[in-house]
Amino acid sequence: MLEVHIDDRDTQIFQLMQAALAGEHVLLFSSGKPLVRLTPLSEPAHRTTGYHSLDISADELDAAFSSEVEEEVAALFNPHAGNAS
């Protein structure tokens, strides 16, 4: 792998790199053919768990465990329970 360090902020490659980091699609062409695409390296996704990882209010969470919802879920798992013949 070839590694190039960009130290000179007056070069065109630095401007292209900044454009790619800003979300621009940067393609480098030669003789009318695209050869290189500049894309930023993305940060690895950070997995968070626990209470603070929820993006839900306490009221919404409580509503998810209401008796109506529990009955509906129970009926989905046992659809013949209420149909005694």
Side-chain angles (χ1 to χ4, degrees), residues 69-84:
V69 171
E70 288 184 21
E71 289 173 11
E72 183 178 342
V73 170
L76 291 172
F77 281 98
N78 193 0
H80 305 291
N83 298 337

Side-chain angles (χ1 to χ4, degrees), residues 42-75:
S42 61
E43 294 287 326
H46 296 287
R47 288 188 71 181
T48 57
T49 58
Y51 176 75
H52 292 293
S53 66
L54 294 176
D55 188 19
I56 188 170
S57 71
D59 291 336
E60 290 173 308
L61 187 59
D62 288 341
F65 292 98
S66 69
S67 59
E68 294 86 12
V69 171
E70 288 184 21
E71 289 173 11
E72 183 178 342
V73 170

